[in-house]
Amino acid sequence: MPRYGRLGLPLYEAIYSMRAIRRMRPDPVSDEDLEIILDAARQAPNGGNAQPWHFIVVRDPQLKRELGTLYHEAWWAKRADEGIEGPDHPAFENPVRRSAMRLADEIGEAPVMILLCATAQGPGAANSVIPSVQNLLLAARGLGIGGTITTLHPVVDDRVKALMEIPDEAQIVYCVPLGYPRGRFGPLNRKPLREIVSEDKWGSTPDWIA
């Protein structure tokens, strides 16, 4: 049984300090920590308790490089869909965009990459995988490990499936790099509640929000 006692960080601290980590040190993530992280992922709520998920842990250096190359292609395919061509586009004046672009270059060097897959096609199966990634990232945060949610693109989907021997009936939902951050967790920059919460009707701000 995974050693849950190592998740000593209070839940509120994990929630209020967990941000997307895109720059990671090369230090390896231990088998023990991966077991804790993935066991937390499988505890997530899901439709009908069908648990329609499968997690592929990628640590082999050559496989990571090949997957990283495909991710890079997918990332730029998504930018092309947005009308963004090349790194000199004004969109990359945004520091978050620049960080994501750098991750597209470096993701194959992450200590671990995890593919979260649904074991059936269709949005229903994928939707049931979504809560598991939050559990995964919170458990990782509790161990001092960071990561971020990324997705692929149809242009590379078949090649990623072939590389990782994923059956046709499954679908890749997320690709999550994990590692010890270069830098810090938090502080977070989030919109205030008053801007994003309504009560009863859209635009009616609750008077109980400070």
Side-chain angles (χ1 to χ4, degrees), residues 114-129:
I114 298 179
L115 294 177
L116 290 84
C117 302
T119 53
Q121 295 288 336
N127 290 344
S128 278
V129 173

PDB file of all heavy atoms in Angstrom, residues 114-129:
ATOM      1  N   ILE A 114       3.303  11.369 -18.092  1.00  0.00           N
ATOM      2  CA  ILE A 114       2.204  10.435 -17.858  1.00  0.00           C
ATOM      3  C   ILE A 114       1.097  10.716 -18.872  1.00  0.00           C
ATOM      4  O   ILE A 114       0.618  11.854 -18.972  1.00  0.00           O
ATOM      5  CB  ILE A 114       1.649  10.550 -16.428  1.00  0.00           C
ATOM      6  CG1 ILE A 114       2.752  10.197 -15.421  1.00  0.00           C
ATOM      7  CG2 ILE A 114       0.439   9.631 -16.242  1.00  0.00           C
ATOM      8  CD1 ILE A 114       2.326  10.297 -13.970  1.00  0.00           C
ATOM      9  N   LEU A 115       0.726   9.690 -19.616  1.00  0.00           N
ATOM     10  CA  LEU A 115      -0.421   9.778 -20.508  1.00  0.00           C
ATOM     11  C   LEU A 115      -1.641   9.254 -19.762  1.00  0.00           C
ATOM     12  O   LEU A 115      -1.633   8.111 -19.288  1.00  0.00           O
ATOM     13  CB  LEU A 115      -0.193   8.963 -21.782  1.00  0.00           C
ATOM     14  CG  LEU A 115       0.913   9.464 -22.717  1.00  0.00           C
ATOM     15  CD1 LEU A 115       1.066   8.497 -23.888  1.00  0.00           C
ATOM     16  CD2 LEU A 115       0.610  10.862 -23.230  1.00  0.00           C
ATOM     17  N   LEU A 116      -2.651  10.085 -19.626  1.00  0.00           N
ATOM     18  CA  LEU A 116      -3.907   9.673 -19.001  1.00  0.00           C
ATOM     19  C   LEU A 116      -4.876   9.340 -20.124  1.00  0.00           C
ATOM     20  O   LEU A 116      -5.224  10.206 -20.937  1.00  0.00           O
ATOM     21  CB  LEU A 116      -4.485  10.788 -18.129  1.00  0.00           C
ATOM     22  CG  LEU A 116      -3.715  11.100 -16.838  1.00  0.00           C
ATOM     23  CD1 LEU A 116      -2.568  12.054 -17.077  1.00  0.00           C
ATOM     24  CD2 LEU A 116      -4.648  11.676 -15.788  1.00  0.00           C
ATOM     25  N   CYS A 117      -5.273   8.096 -20.184  1.00  0.00           N
ATOM     26  CA  CYS A 117      -6.097   7.613 -21.279  1.00  0.00           C
ATOM     27  C   CYS A 117      -7.457   7.166 -20.775  1.00  0.00           C
ATOM     28  O   CYS A 117      -7.591   6.667 -19.655  1.00  0.00           O
ATOM     29  CB  CYS A 117      -5.418   6.431 -21.975  1.00  0.00           C
ATOM     30  SG  CYS A 117      -3.768   6.801 -22.620  1.00  0.00           S
ATOM     31  N   ALA A 118      -8.473   7.350 -21.628  1.00  0.00           N
ATOM     32  CA  ALA A 118      -9.787   6.764 -21.388  1.00  0.00           C
ATOM     33  C   ALA A 118      -9.832   5.430 -22.112  1.00  0.00           C
ATOM     34  O   ALA A 118      -9.332   5.308 -23.236  1.00  0.00           O
ATOM     35  CB  ALA A 118     -10.881   7.691 -21.893  1.00  0.00           C
ATOM     36  N   THR A 119     -10.431   4.450 -21.487  1.00  0.00           N
ATOM     37  CA  THR A 119     -10.426   3.104 -22.062  1.00  0.00           C
ATOM     38  C   THR A 119     -11.562   2.883 -23.045  1.00  0.00           C
ATOM     39  O   THR A 119     -11.802   1.755 -23.470  1.00  0.00           O
ATOM     40  CB  THR A 119     -10.487   2.050 -20.947  1.00  0.00           C
ATOM     41  OG1 THR A 119     -11.600   2.325 -20.090  1.00  0.00           O
ATOM     42  CG2 THR A 119      -9.205   2.079 -20.121  1.00  0.00           C
ATOM     43  N   ALA A 120     -12.266   3.960 -23.398  1.00  0.00           N
ATOM     44  CA  ALA A 120     -13.306   3.895 -24.420  1.00  0.00           C
ATOM     45  C   ALA A 120     -13.320   5.221 -25.153  1.00  0.00           C
ATOM     46  O   ALA A 120     -12.745   6.213 -24.702  1.00  0.00           O
ATOM     47  CB  ALA A 120     -14.668   3.611 -23.791  1.00  0.00           C
ATOM     48  N   GLN A 121     -13.949   5.242 -26.320  1.00  0.00           N
ATOM     49  CA  GLN A 121     -14.071   6.478 -27.080  1.00  0.00           C
ATOM     50  C   GLN A 121     -15.273   7.277 -26.584  1.00  0.00           C
ATOM     51  O   GLN A 121     -16.119   6.772 -25.851  1.00  0.00           O
ATOM     52  CB  GLN A 121     -14.231   6.160 -28.569  1.00  0.00           C
ATOM     53  CG  GLN A 121     -13.014   5.497 -29.192  1.00  0.00           C
ATOM     54  CD  GLN A 121     -11.842   6.448 -29.362  1.00  0.00           C
ATOM     55  OE1 GLN A 121     -12.023   7.659 -29.446  1.00  0.00           O
ATOM     56  NE2 GLN A 121     -10.634   5.914 -29.417  1.00  0.00           N
ATOM     57  N   GLY A 122     -15.340   8.529 -27.003  1.00  0.00           N
ATOM     58  CA  GLY A 122     -16.489   9.358 -26.674  1.00  0.00           C
ATOM     59  C   GLY A 122     -16.238  10.268 -25.492  1.00  0.00           C
ATOM     60  O   GLY A 122     -15.414   9.960 -24.619  1.00  0.00           O
ATOM     61  N   PRO A 123     -16.973  11.387 -25.448  1.00  0.00           N
ATOM     62  CA  PRO A 123     -16.739  12.370 -24.373  1.00  0.00           C
ATOM     63  C   PRO A 123     -17.075  11.839 -22.991  1.00  0.00           C
ATOM     64  O   PRO A 123     -16.491  12.283 -22.009  1.00  0.00           O
ATOM     65  CB  PRO A 123     -17.652  13.535 -24.762  1.00  0.00           C
ATOM     66  CG  PRO A 123     -18.699  12.938 -25.653  1.00  0.00           C
ATOM     67  CD  PRO A 123     -18.014  11.828 -26.392  1.00  0.00           C
ATOM     68  N   GLY A 124     -18.010  10.907 -22.880  1.00  0.00           N
ATOM     69  CA  GLY A 124     -18.366  10.392 -21.564  1.00  0.00           C
ATOM     70  C   GLY A 124     -17.187   9.750 -20.865  1.00  0.00           C
ATOM     71  O   GLY A 124     -16.928   9.992 -19.680  1.00  0.00           O
ATOM     72  N   ALA A 125     -16.453   8.921 -21.600  1.00  0.00           N
ATOM     73  CA  ALA A 125     -15.290   8.256 -21.011  1.00  0.00           C
ATOM     74  C   ALA A 125     -14.208   9.264 -20.665  1.00  0.00           C
ATOM     75  O   ALA A 125     -13.597   9.201 -19.590  1.00  0.00           O
ATOM     76  CB  ALA A 125     -14.746   7.199 -21.967  1.00  0.00           C
ATOM     77  N   ALA A 126     -13.966  10.228 -21.558  1.00  0.00           N
ATOM     78  CA  ALA A 126     -12.940  11.238 -21.297  1.00  0.00           C
ATOM     79  C   ALA A 126     -13.308  12.096 -20.094  1.00  0.00           C
ATOM     80  O   ALA A 126     -12.450  12.433 -19.272  1.00  0.00           O
ATOM     81  CB  ALA A 126     -12.745  12.118 -22.532  1.00  0.00           C
ATOM     82  N   ASN A 127     -14.593  12.438 -19.972  1.00  0.00           N
ATOM     83  CA  ASN A 127     -15.021  13.273 -18.846  1.00  0.00           C
ATOM     84  C   ASN A 127     -14.757  12.593 -17.515  1.00  0.00           C
ATOM     85  O   ASN A 127     -14.477  13.262 -16.507  1.00  0.00           O
ATOM     86  CB  ASN A 127     -16.503  13.609 -18.970  1.00  0.00           C
ATOM     87  CG  ASN A 127     -16.796  14.565 -20.108  1.00  0.00           C
ATOM     88  OD1 ASN A 127     -15.883  15.220 -20.627  1.00  0.00           O
ATOM     89  ND2 ASN A 127     -18.051  14.642 -20.524  1.00  0.00           N
ATOM     90  N   SER A 128     -14.851  11.279 -17.474  1.00  0.00           N
ATOM     91  CA  SER A 128     -14.607  10.572 -16.219  1.00  0.00           C
ATOM     92  C   SER A 128     -13.128  10.525 -15.858  1.00  0.00           C
ATOM     93  O   SER A 128     -12.772  10.247 -14.720  1.00  0.00           O
ATOM     94  CB  SER A 128     -15.167   9.146 -16.294  1.00  0.00           C
ATOM     95  OG  SER A 128     -16.556   9.131 -16.021  1.00  0.00           O
ATOM     96  N   VAL A 129     -12.250  10.783 -16.823  1.00  0.00           N
ATOM     97  CA  VAL A 129     -10.810  10.815 -16.551  1.00  0.00           C
ATOM     98  C   VAL A 129     -10.395  12.166 -15.963  1.00  0.00           C
ATOM     99  O   VAL A 129      -9.420  12.253 -15.210  1.00  0.00           O
ATOM    100  CB  VAL A 129     -10.020  10.519 -17.845  1.00  0.00           C
ATOM    101  CG1 VAL A 129      -8.517  10.709 -17.640  1.00  0.00           C
ATOM    102  CG2 VAL A 129     -10.302   9.098 -18.323  1.00  0.00           C
TER     103      VAL A 129
END
